[in-house]
Amino acid sequence: MALLDALSAGLLLLGGLFFLTGTVGLLRFPGVFDRLHALTKADNLGLGCVVAALILQAETGWVAAKLVLIWMLALIAATVSAHLIARFSLRARGGARRTPP
Protein backbone atom coordinates (compact mmCIF):
# COMPACT_ATOMS: atom_id res chain seq x y z
CA MET A 1 0.00 0.00 0.00
CA ALA A 2 2.84 2.42 0.75
CA LEU A 3 4.24 1.86 -2.75
CA LEU A 4 0.91 2.86 -4.34
CA ASP A 5 0.74 5.95 -2.14
CA ALA A 6 4.28 6.97 -3.10
CA LEU A 7 3.59 6.38 -6.79
CA SER A 8 0.37 8.40 -6.55
CA ALA A 9 2.19 11.24 -4.82
CA GLY A 10 4.87 11.21 -7.51
CA LEU A 11 2.27 11.31 -10.28
CA LEU A 12 0.45 14.17 -8.57
CA LEU A 13 3.69 16.13 -8.28
CA LEU A 14 4.51 15.43 -11.92
CA GLY A 15 1.03 16.54 -12.96
CA GLY A 16 1.41 19.72 -10.93
CA LEU A 17 4.76 20.35 -12.62
CA PHE A 18 3.15 19.99 -16.05
CA PHE A 19 0.39 22.42 -15.04
CA LEU A 20 3.01 24.88 -13.78
CA THR A 21 5.03 24.73 -17.01
CA GLY A 22 1.86 25.21 -19.05
CA THR A 23 0.97 28.27 -17.02
CA VAL A 24 4.48 29.69 -17.40
CA GLY A 25 4.25 29.09 -21.15
CA LEU A 26 0.91 30.86 -21.23
CA LEU A 27 2.35 33.89 -19.47
CA ARG A 28 5.73 34.04 -21.20
CA PHE A 29 5.27 33.06 -24.83
CA PRO A 30 4.70 35.95 -27.25
CA GLY A 31 2.02 34.74 -29.67
CA VAL A 32 -1.41 33.23 -29.45
CA PHE A 33 -0.39 30.03 -31.22
CA ASP A 34 2.72 29.55 -29.06
CA ARG A 35 0.63 30.03 -25.94
CA LEU A 36 -2.01 27.60 -27.12
CA HIS A 37 0.60 24.98 -27.94
CA ALA A 38 2.29 25.28 -24.56
CA LEU A 39 -0.93 25.31 -22.61
CA THR A 40 -2.78 22.47 -24.32
CA LYS A 41 0.14 20.06 -24.37
CA ALA A 42 1.16 20.64 -20.77
CA ASP A 43 -2.37 20.63 -19.41
CA ASN A 44 -3.28 17.39 -21.17
CA LEU A 45 -0.20 15.67 -19.76
CA GLY A 46 -0.78 17.17 -16.33
CA LEU A 47 -4.37 16.00 -16.24
CA GLY A 48 -3.28 12.55 -17.43
CA CYS A 49 -0.82 12.28 -14.54
CA VAL A 50 -3.39 13.45 -12.00
CA VAL A 51 -5.97 10.99 -13.33
CA ALA A 52 -3.41 8.16 -13.24
CA ALA A 53 -2.65 9.01 -9.60
CA LEU A 54 -6.34 8.98 -8.76
CA ILE A 55 -6.86 5.68 -10.57
CA LEU A 56 -4.18 4.12 -8.37
CA GLN A 57 -6.19 5.25 -5.34
CA ALA A 58 -9.59 4.25 -6.74
CA GLU A 59 -11.49 1.65 -4.76
CA THR A 60 -13.33 0.05 -7.68
CA GLY A 61 -12.91 -0.36 -11.40
CA TRP A 62 -16.09 1.66 -11.93
CA VAL A 63 -14.50 4.70 -10.30
CA ALA A 64 -11.39 4.24 -12.45
CA ALA A 65 -13.54 4.03 -15.58
CA LYS A 66 -15.31 7.27 -14.65
CA LEU A 67 -11.94 8.97 -14.18
CA VAL A 68 -10.79 7.82 -17.61
CA LEU A 69 -14.05 9.07 -19.11
CA ILE A 70 -13.57 12.46 -17.46
CA TRP A 71 -10.04 12.62 -18.85
CA MET A 72 -11.21 11.75 -22.36
CA LEU A 73 -13.94 14.41 -22.24
CA ALA A 74 -11.41 16.98 -21.05
CA LEU A 75 -9.09 16.04 -23.93
CA ILE A 76 -11.90 16.53 -26.43
CA ALA A 77 -12.93 19.84 -24.86
CA ALA A 78 -9.34 21.11 -24.87
CA THR A 79 -8.90 20.16 -28.51
CA VAL A 80 -12.09 21.86 -29.62
CA SER A 81 -11.51 25.01 -27.59
CA ALA A 82 -7.89 25.36 -28.78
CA HIS A 83 -9.04 24.94 -32.37
CA LEU A 84 -11.74 27.58 -31.96
CA ILE A 85 -9.34 30.05 -30.32
CA ALA A 86 -6.73 29.52 -33.04
CA ARG A 87 -9.32 29.87 -35.79
CA PHE A 88 -10.74 33.05 -34.30
CA SER A 89 -7.25 34.49 -33.93
CA LEU A 90 -6.43 33.70 -37.54
CA ARG A 91 -9.66 35.29 -38.75
CA ALA A 92 -9.11 38.37 -36.60
CA ARG A 93 -5.75 38.86 -38.29
CA GLY A 94 -7.28 38.43 -41.72
CA GLY A 95 -5.18 35.37 -42.46
CA ALA A 96 -7.89 32.78 -42.86
CA ARG A 97 -9.57 32.12 -46.15
CA ARG A 98 -12.99 30.63 -46.29
CA THR A 99 -13.00 27.27 -47.95
CA PRO A 100 -16.08 26.19 -49.83
CA PRO A 101 -18.17 23.52 -48.06
Side-chain angles (χ1 to χ4, degrees):
M1 193 67 172
L3 179 63
L4 282 178
D5 291 339
L7 190 57
S8 292
L11 283 169
L12 284 173
L13 286 173
L14 186 63
L17 184 66
F18 278 122
F19 282 129
L20 180 67
T21 57
T23 304
V24 169
L26 176 69
L27 296 175
R28 300 281 302 194
F29 284 159
V32 172
F33 303 112
D34 296 328
R35 290 176 179 178
L36 274 176
H37 178 75
L39 190 62
T40 55
K41 301 301 179 203
D43 282 352
N44 288 336
L45 284 172
L47 184 60
C49 289
V50 169
V51 167
L54 292 174
I55 286 174
L56 291 176
Q57 297 296 321
E59 295 178 5
T60 63
W62 181 243
V63 173
K66 287 181 190 178
L67 288 168
V68 170
L69 179 64
I70 290 169
W71 183 47
M72 291 296 159
L73 290 173
L75 286 175
I76 292 168
T79 302
V80 170
S81 63
H83 177 77
L84 289 174
I85 291 169
R87 190 172 179 171
F88 177 78
S89 177
L90 242 134
R91 284 187 178 178
R93 294 177 184 190
R97 294 185 204 125
R98 288 194 58 126
T99 57

